[in-house]
């Protein structure tokens, strides 16, 4: 399965494409959509939307993973991130892609083993799990790849759960 991971942000939206096969992960590509603060908001959101569409067209992912917003101390920043996230979600929905949404805590848990992992731990685990010779830069790329890895982990878990429920029903019948 090919998964597009997205780490939304108005100034920087990280993206990463991974492929999962037999429990192994491989990075295909990653990058960062950058928008200028000197550009009107509507045009920045359109750029994110257009670039996500181009990435989808080029890499043909079957599913998408996107990070949920963490509402910390800066409400203005959270609002801008939410708008960028919305542009990315509209792009993926327009392509008919199934989307998983994950909190930063869930991503850290899935990739590093605990929800309080430091950013460097997550980046190291992304590098290790994808067998890369370097940590993806900028860090928005590593975060996007981490979201895709989380989706792959949880998709496998949910498939096992569905298979178990199906088997349980068959055994009762």
């Amino acid at each position: 399965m090919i998964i597009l991971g997205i780490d939304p942000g108005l100034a920087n939206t990280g993206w990463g494409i991974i492929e999962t096969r037999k429990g192994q992960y491989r990075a295909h590509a990653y990058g960062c959509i950058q928008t200028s603060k000197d550009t009107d908001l509507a045009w920045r959101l359109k750029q994110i939307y257009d670039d996500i569409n181009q990435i989808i067209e080029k890499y043909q992912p079957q599913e998408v993973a996107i990070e949920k917003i963490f509402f910390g101390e800066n409400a203005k920043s959270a609002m801008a991130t939410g708008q960028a996230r919305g542009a990315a979600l509209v792009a993926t929905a327009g392509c008919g892609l199934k989307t998983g949404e994950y909190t930063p805590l869930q991503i850290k848990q899935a990739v590093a083993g605990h929800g309080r992992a430091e950013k460097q731990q997550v980046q190291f685990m992304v590098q290790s799990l994808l067998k890369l010779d370097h940590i993806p830069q900028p860090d928005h790329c590593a975060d996007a790849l981490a979201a895709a890895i989380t989706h792959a982990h949880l998709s496998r878990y949910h498939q096992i759960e569905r298979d178990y429920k199906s088997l349980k029903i068959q055994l009762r019948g």
Side-chain angles (χ1 to χ4, degrees):
M1 176 188 326
I2 297 175
I3 302 168
L4 166 61
I6 301 172
D7 175 40
L10 187 56
N12 297 287
T13 292
W15 62 271
I17 300 286
I18 69 166
E19 181 178 3
T20 65
R21 191 174 292 173
K22 298 180 183 177
Q24 299 293 312
Y25 307 122
R26 187 173 75 111
H28 279 265
Y30 56 85
C32 192
I33 301 165
Q34 297 180 322
T35 67
S36 171
K37 65 180 179 172
D38 298 328
T39 304
D40 289 337
L41 174 63
W43 289 105
R44 294 174 81 182
L45 296 174
K46 183 180 181 325
Q47 181 183 345
I48 292 166
Y49 173 86
D50 289 344
D51 287 3
I52 293 292
N53 274 316
Q54 288 176 359
I55 292 162
I56 291 168
E57 186 176 312
K58 181 173 182 177
Y59 296 102
Q60 298 293 307
Q62 287 112 352
E63 296 186 8
V64 177
I66 189 165
E67 188 172 322
K68 288 184 177 179
I69 300 170
F70 174 71
F71 289 97
E73 297 173 16
N74 191 341
K76 185 177 180 181
S77 174
M79 181 71 92
T81 300
Q83 290 172 316
R85 188 173 180 279
L89 284 169
V90 170
T92 62
C95 295
L97 296 173
K98 176 183 171 190
T99 303
E101 302 178 54
Y102 306 99
T103 65
L105 188 83
Q106 288 174 304
I107 292 171
K108 290 176 181 181
Q109 177 72 40
V111 174
H114 60 94
R116 301 284 180 228
E118 297 290 327
K119 193 167 207 53
Q120 294 82 4
Q121 289 174 288
V122 174
Q123 292 172 342
F124 174 78
M125 288 305 297
V126 166
Q127 177 186 3
S128 179
L129 289 167
L130 296 174
K131 297 174 181 65
L132 299 172
D133 61 0
H134 61 282
I135 290 174
Q137 293 296 324
D139 59 354
H140 306 289
C141 298
D143 292 345
L145 290 166
I149 292 167
T150 299
H151 187 75
H153 282 337
L154 293 178
S155 291
R156 282 182 48 205
Y157 169 78
H158 292 306
Q159 183 59 52
I160 292 168
E161 189 176 52
R162 284 189 297 274
D163 291 347
Y164 173 75
K165 287 178 181 177
S166 176
L167 178 63
K168 203 169 154 182
I169 291 168
Q170 288 175 8
L171 291 174
R172 272 194 249 156

